[in-house]
Amino acid sequence: MELEKRKIYMDRMKFRAGTQIALEDDRNLQDNKPDIARILGQKGYIRLEELKPAADHVTMRGKLHYKVLYQSEEVQEICSVEGNIPFEEQVHMDGLGAEELVQARWELDDMTIGMINSRKLSIQSVACFELFVEELYEEEVPVNLAEVPRETGIECRKKMLNMAGIAVLKKDIFRIREEMELPQSCPNIGSLIWEDIEVSGLEFKPVEEKVFIKGEIRAFFLYTPQGGESGVQVFGTSIPISGSVECQGCMEDLIADIRYQISQQDIEVQEDFDGERRVISLEMVLDLYMKLYREEKTEILADCYGLQKEVRPERQETEYRTMMTKCSGKYRLAEEVPAEGVPASAKLLHYQAFVQKESTKQMEEGIEVLGAVEADFLLQDEADGRFFRLHAGIPFKYLLETSDVMAADFADLKICLENLTASGTGDTWEVKGILSFEMAAFHRGKENMIREIELCEPDAEKYRKTPGMVGYVVKSGDSLWDIGKKYMVSLESLKEMNHLTRDEIHAGDKMLIIR
């Protein structure tokens, strides 16, 4: 017997593997660089250059780029030194083929840059990589019987499922091009010493055939003035960014799950209309990993039985995804950190910070998140212009409350740091900020769905032994459907014979069944 079926598109992880790479290097200063007195700042980022799949493994090549800001002792000069550590790693992925599209996500779990001596630095870092191959596949779910002769007499039961089917699964890029012009109070740029570019508050909004993107660029620069002027100049700014990427099949009602990583960043000093070096040009490329879900209620054919013929459904367990909950919360950070040697006249210029999530734990009330905020603050003494570094490591524990998430669910948890500040006038400074938590939780459900139906002549012996009239006392757990199926009687007849207006019955109810 033919079934009417509906296609639901789902995504699944075809291959997945993780690896950690320890990256280490000792770097001597160039001869034209002054000696290091103290380190003021550091940063590092991964640039993945190649992912080459082959039979059962993928070869990964790239570099760890690092940069160090320091102050010399003799003339209190502010300098920077940078370099890179190349890496190549083979990661085993059982069953992988050379034609697969392998994607990667990564983060620096820990990076430490220290002085070996005044002319030599030690760089140590651990890079964590997640490599994966995702695929889109379709599931056919039964929604009804095709045309059935009226005399066949088949009873059907429907069931409503909440499904989150995948509507879009793709990788794309978002290009950012911005120009930042110095204010009139700042001298022209001779050369850049240090830069820090951060993308924050990025939001994704699905619309018809596009995804709109908006957020903010936070930029900070240290530079030497043009024309031999002494001193180090500071320039910081925030720029709103917006744009869109084409996305075939996208609609407003879709649920967006989009992650991004910076794959390219170029900074260049340019001349303005008057020919003066007062413009900083930024070009950045974000790799987007895009999933957009469509949440909908789907009525499926859950069961059926025959009144004149035997109905034999063939079933197969099918996995599907349903949206459980979306929740958010905020946590206030407040910590006093030692600031030995920092003068009372120091002011905050800039900070670099990242959130390190250490663990998540399923609790009865929600998700408990443990982690720490690692922050470096760059300070300058207003009295003599000297620079200082203040480090803060702030642990946190937060319960993201939700009652809908169970152990079998999986969730995408995002943590953002907002409004980080540091203030103080003595040996301790107070660091404050806000952590924002957002979580979209899904549940993987399983349903034993009907795949095929076979109609057969009824078992004559079974039919003969089934009485034509029965007085029946409802037992605990009985349903009208179960009784009708057992005695091969239509639900309409059962309700009519027993003067029922609903399908609801209770233990102890007495029923008359006439086949």
Side-chain angles (χ1 to χ4, degrees), residues 19-148:
T19 188
Q20 289 185 339
I21 305 176
L23 301 168
E24 300 179 354
D25 190 23
D26 292 341
R27 170 70 184 267
N28 292 310
L29 292 186
Q30 297 170 336
D31 293 339
N32 61 346
K33 296 282 187 181
D35 290 358
I36 303 171
R38 62 177 179 268
I39 293 175
L40 298 174
Q42 66 179 45
K43 62 180 181 177
Y45 53 89
I46 295 290
R47 290 290 181 264
L48 204 56
E49 298 169 350
E50 184 181 22
L51 277 174
K52 187 176 181 180
D56 297 325
H57 73 275
V58 58
T59 301
M60 180 172 61
R61 296 185 182 90
K63 292 176 182 176
L64 164 66
H65 295 265
Y66 60 85
K67 192 168 185 177
V68 182
L69 180 70
Y70 72 91
Q71 191 166 33
S72 66
E73 190 65 56
E74 298 84 0
V75 293
Q76 298 290 308
E77 185 179 356
I78 303 298
C79 302
S80 62
V81 60
E82 58 187 313
N84 59 74
I85 305 174
F87 61 85
E88 181 176 329
E89 186 89 355
Q90 280 196 357
V91 182
H92 181 74
M93 298 181 79
D94 192 27
L96 185 73
E99 73 287 349
E100 298 286 1
L101 176 61
V102 181
Q103 301 184 60
R105 289 193 285 259
W106 61 88
E107 61 181 19
L108 288 179
D109 189 48
D110 184 31
M111 188 175 79
T112 304
I113 299 180
M115 293 172 54
I116 297 175
N117 55 51
S118 62
R119 301 293 303 170
K120 195 171 188 178
L121 292 169
S122 170
I123 298 96
Q124 296 180 328
S125 180
V126 175
C128 299
F129 294 87
E130 180 190 11
L131 308 180
F132 57 94
V133 176
E134 291 181 305
E135 67 175 353
L136 193 64
Y137 70 101
E138 65 180 37
E139 285 283 2
E140 289 189 327
V141 298
V143 295
N144 209 347
L145 294 176
E147 290 188 15
V148 181

Side-chain angles (χ1 to χ4, degrees), residues 184-346:
Q184 291 298 319
S185 58
C186 293
N188 294 352
I189 300 171
S191 61
L192 290 177
I193 302 172
W194 183 261
E195 74 286 332
D196 182 36
I197 309 294
E198 179 187 342
V199 180
S200 64
L202 215 56
E203 297 178 2
F204 302 93
K205 183 181 179 181
V207 295
E208 189 170 352
E209 302 299 320
K210 288 183 180 181
V211 173
F212 278 123
I213 303 170
K214 70 174 184 177
E216 186 180 68
I217 293 286
R218 194 171 66 97
F220 175 77
F221 303 93
L222 292 176
Y223 69 94
T224 56
Q226 193 177 26
E229 294 183 45
S230 61
V232 174
Q233 297 294 315
V234 176
F235 171 54
T237 187
S238 295
I239 309 169
I241 56 172
S242 62
S244 65
V245 294
E246 299 294 325
C247 187
Q248 186 177 0
C250 187
M251 300 180 67
E252 287 188 24
D253 62 344
L254 299 184
I255 302 168
D257 177 15
I258 301 177
R259 303 187 185 193
Y260 68 91
Q261 283 187 301
I262 299 172
S263 61
Q264 182 181 330
Q265 178 179 297
D266 296 309
I267 296 171
E268 184 182 358
V269 178
Q270 296 179 342
E271 295 179 349
D272 62 10
F273 289 112
D274 298 325
E276 296 183 322
R277 289 168 56 85
R278 302 186 60 79
V279 176
I280 300 174
S281 171
L282 167 67
E283 290 196 17
M284 181 180 286
V285 176
L286 304 183
D287 286 342
L288 305 179
Y289 304 94
M290 306 173 66
K291 292 183 185 179
L292 290 99
Y293 297 95
R294 176 178 288 108
E295 188 179 18
E296 54 191 333
K297 294 182 182 294
T298 302
E299 189 178 57
I300 68 166
L301 179 64
D303 199 6
C304 54
Y305 65 88
L307 305 181
Q308 282 83 37
K309 291 182 178 289
E310 185 178 354
V311 176
R312 296 177 182 174
E314 180 186 329
R315 296 179 180 271
Q316 181 179 335
E317 188 175 73
T318 302
E319 187 177 273
Y320 65 96
R321 173 181 294 154
T322 182
M323 185 78 177
M324 291 292 293
T325 185
K326 294 183 76 172
C327 57
S328 60
K330 291 185 181 292
Y331 175 79
R332 294 187 179 275
L333 291 170
E335 188 85 0
E336 290 190 346
V337 297
E340 186 177 351
V342 177
S345 55

